[in-house]
């Protein structure tokens, strides 16, 4: 249903990857059908991206990249993840793996524990 000006107003709840993708496809579909649309994304936190997060941590042991979120993806195994990031304009923020420093740690009881070689992402 459109408003008095003939504009379809859409509200997407959540600025995670699903909400961002929804807003993208709503806009594309509206454009394809010749519908004027205003899409508003409501996000509770101070940033979009949902649970997906990259943080940089400085400690006495050195600098670390900490990845948080429901899933990471390898472009070769999940090319649709890379395609979606590109469609959403997020590909410039993707960080590739550093093969020369591929070690995985978990935080347990305040201490970092190294996982065995071969365990990653």
């Amino acid at each position: 249903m459109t408003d008095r000006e003939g504009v379809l107003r859409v509200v997407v709840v959540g600025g995670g990857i699903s909400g961002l993708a929804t807003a993208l496809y709503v806009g594309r579909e509206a454009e394809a059908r010749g519908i004027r649309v205003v899409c508003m994304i409501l996000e509770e936190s101070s940033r979009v991206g949902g649970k997906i997060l990259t943080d940089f941590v400085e400690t006495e042991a050195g600098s670390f990249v900490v990845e948080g979120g429901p899933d990471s993806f390898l472009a070769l195994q999940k090319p649709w993840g890379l395609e979606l990031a590109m469609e959403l304009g997020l590909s410039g923020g993707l960080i590739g793996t550093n093969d020369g420093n591929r070690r995985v740690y978990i935080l347990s009881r305040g201490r970092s524990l190294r996982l065995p070689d071969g365990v990653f992402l």
Side-chain angles (χ1 to χ4, degrees):
M1 177 183 255
T2 58
D3 65 11
R4 284 184 242 157
E5 291 89 38
V7 176
L8 177 64
R9 298 187 184 277
V10 176
V11 175
V12 175
V13 179
I17 194 71
S18 296
L20 296 173
T22 298
L24 173 74
Y25 289 112
V26 163
R28 282 189 178 168
E29 188 65 23
E31 184 176 356
R33 294 177 182 224
I35 299 170
R36 292 177 33 209
V37 66
V38 172
C39 187
M40 178 184 293
I41 299 173
L42 301 179
E43 173 56 43
E44 180 180 30
S45 72
S46 61
R47 64 172 194 77
V48 295
K51 303 294 183 202
I52 298 173
L53 164 70
T54 300
D55 201 4
F56 301 91
V57 178
E58 299 288 333
T59 70
E60 294 174 4
S63 301
F64 298 93
V65 176
V66 178
E67 300 290 357
D71 191 14
S72 295
F73 68 89
L74 297 173
L76 292 175
Q77 292 177 336
K78 298 181 182 177
W80 56 89
L82 180 58
E83 290 171 17
L84 180 58
M86 292 172 66
E87 287 183 46
L88 293 173
L90 301 174
S91 59
L94 296 178
I95 299 173
T97 58
N98 180 347
D99 292 335
N101 194 18
R102 185 175 278 186
R103 288 181 227 99
V104 177
Y105 295 84
I106 60 171
L107 187 63
S108 175
R109 298 182 180 137
R111 297 182 56 198
S112 62
L113 303 173
R114 183 173 175 185
L115 294 180
D117 290 339
V119 176
F120 59 95
L121 295 180

